[in-house]
Amino acid sequence: GEDVEQSLFLSVREGDSSVINCTYTDSSSTYLYWYKQEPGAGLQLLTYIFSNMDMKQDQRLTVLLNKKDKHLSLRIADTQTGDSAIYFCAESLIMDSNYQLIWGAGTKLIIKP
Amino acid sequence: DTGVSQDPRHKITKRGQNVTFRCDPISEHNRLYWYRQTLGQGPEFLTYFQNEAQLEKSRLLSDRFSAERPKGSFSTLEIQRTEQGDSAMYLCASSLRLAGSSYNEQFFGPGTRLTVL
């Protein structure tokens, strides 16, 4: 079956880079997404990558996709206190002729001063 | 348009009572999703609509849960005879599904937090 796994916590110092990792099991993924969830707020799409790409950069965010290892990562450069949140990885799959999102459990990013 | 809205934001109820939540999606979006999220977990898919048609319902979903989207705009999620295990955050999301595209960016509302005593 399909499954998406992430580490539950990541702690980094302010100003350092954060790297959040995600592994998935279904090689038929079309798009892979990173969502951010701040306390009391809804899930917000941060960035996404299409499955035929291996890298995407958007300002401080870099997404790397290794299809062979089914590994996705999100790098946040110059991590700031405002980056404190839970980050969810999700893959888009075709299930029963419909596109569904399969979600990881989320990685809580903790920023140390 | 200010995004996806949900009402109420919080609901406390006693076990055995029925509750109903409302979701107003982004107006031009044709798809609407309901998820449930518990602490330390990602969103768990419940059901989704394309326009007014309910296209899929999670096989894990109890018959006590029902959702409607009568005019293809807002949606309601009803839980009958609530149980303590139903306590969770209920999230609504909407998206614009274009024919021939597999891109599926979902825009989420703030959620309704349900506490069953």
Side-chain angles (χ1 to χ4, degrees):
Chain A
E2 59 286 338
D3 199 13
V4 176
E5 293 190 352
Q6 304 177 238
S7 300
L8 291 183
F9 298 97
L10 176 66
S11 179
V12 298
R13 291 200 180 280
E14 190 175 358
D16 288 352
S17 292
S18 305
V19 180
I20 302 170
N21 295 302
C22 169
T23 57
Y24 59 97
T25 55
D26 198 310
S27 56
S28 63
S29 299
T30 53
Y31 285 88
L32 295 118
Y33 303 84
W34 284 103
Y35 278 80
K36 178 181 181 181
Q37 188 174 39
E38 294 177 275
L43 284 152
Q44 176 191 2
L45 180 69
L46 267 184
T47 187
Y48 66 93
I49 189 166
F50 189 50
S51 57
N52 69 353
M53 299 169 64
D54 50 23
M55 187 181 93
K56 179 178 180 182
Q57 189 148 6
D58 183 3
Q59 299 182 340
R60 291 192 299 124
L61 306 178
T62 304
V63 179
L64 294 178
L65 175 60
N66 181 329
K67 284 200 75 173
K68 175 176 170 288
D69 295 338
K70 299 190 185 70
H71 182 265
L72 180 74
S73 69
L74 173 70
R75 178 176 180 269
I76 305 172
D78 186 25
T79 309
Q80 303 297 309
T81 54
D83 296 323
S84 294
I86 301 176
Y87 292 81
F88 291 92
C89 165
E91 60 171 340
S92 182
L93 299 177
I94 299 175
M95 294 171 64
D96 298 327
S97 303
N98 292 302
Y99 288 97
Q100 298 288 5
L101 286 185
I102 307 299
W103 295 80
T107 299
K108 185 171 186 177
L109 179 61
I110 300 163
I111 315 299
K112 296 181 288 189
Chain B
D1 193 297
T2 56
V4 179
S5 61
Q6 293 186 245
D7 184 68
R9 295 291 304 274
H10 303 274
K11 178 71 177 179
I12 300 173
T13 191
K14 291 183 179 178
R15 189 174 51 188
Q17 298 294 304
N18 298 344
V19 294
T20 300
F21 309 142
R22 177 179 169 123
C23 171
D24 286 89
I26 293 172
S27 57
E28 63 267 26
H29 284 182
N30 51 8
R31 285 203 166 181
L32 186 147
Y33 304 79
W34 285 101
Y35 292 90
R36 176 170 58 193
Q37 187 180 24
T38 52
L39 199 63
Q41 298 295 319
E44 174 195 357
F45 170 77
L46 295 180
T47 188
Y48 87 96
F49 294 82
Q50 175 137 327
N51 300 313
E52 66 275 9
Q54 187 173 18
L55 293 190
E56 187 161 348
K57 189 174 174 180
S58 169
R59 286 184 284 270
L60 302 175
L61 198 61
S62 160
D63 289 343
R64 297 183 295 106
F65 288 69
S66 62
E68 293 183 342
R69 194 183 183 198
K71 297 179 182 177
S73 56
F74 75 91
S75 175
T76 57
L77 176 69
E78 182 183 17
I79 309 173
Q80 296 181 324
R81 304 180 303 281
T82 52
E83 301 173 358
Q84 287 183 323
D86 297 331
S87 295
M89 178 75 86
Y90 289 84
L91 301 172
C92 176
S94 69
S95 69
L96 180 61
R97 171 83 165 93
L98 299 175
S101 171
S102 59
Y103 183 65
N104 189 18
E105 179 181 355
Q106 296 181 15
F107 294 79
F108 282 81
T112 295
R113 182 169 294 284
L114 173 66
T115 302
V116 181
L117 302 176

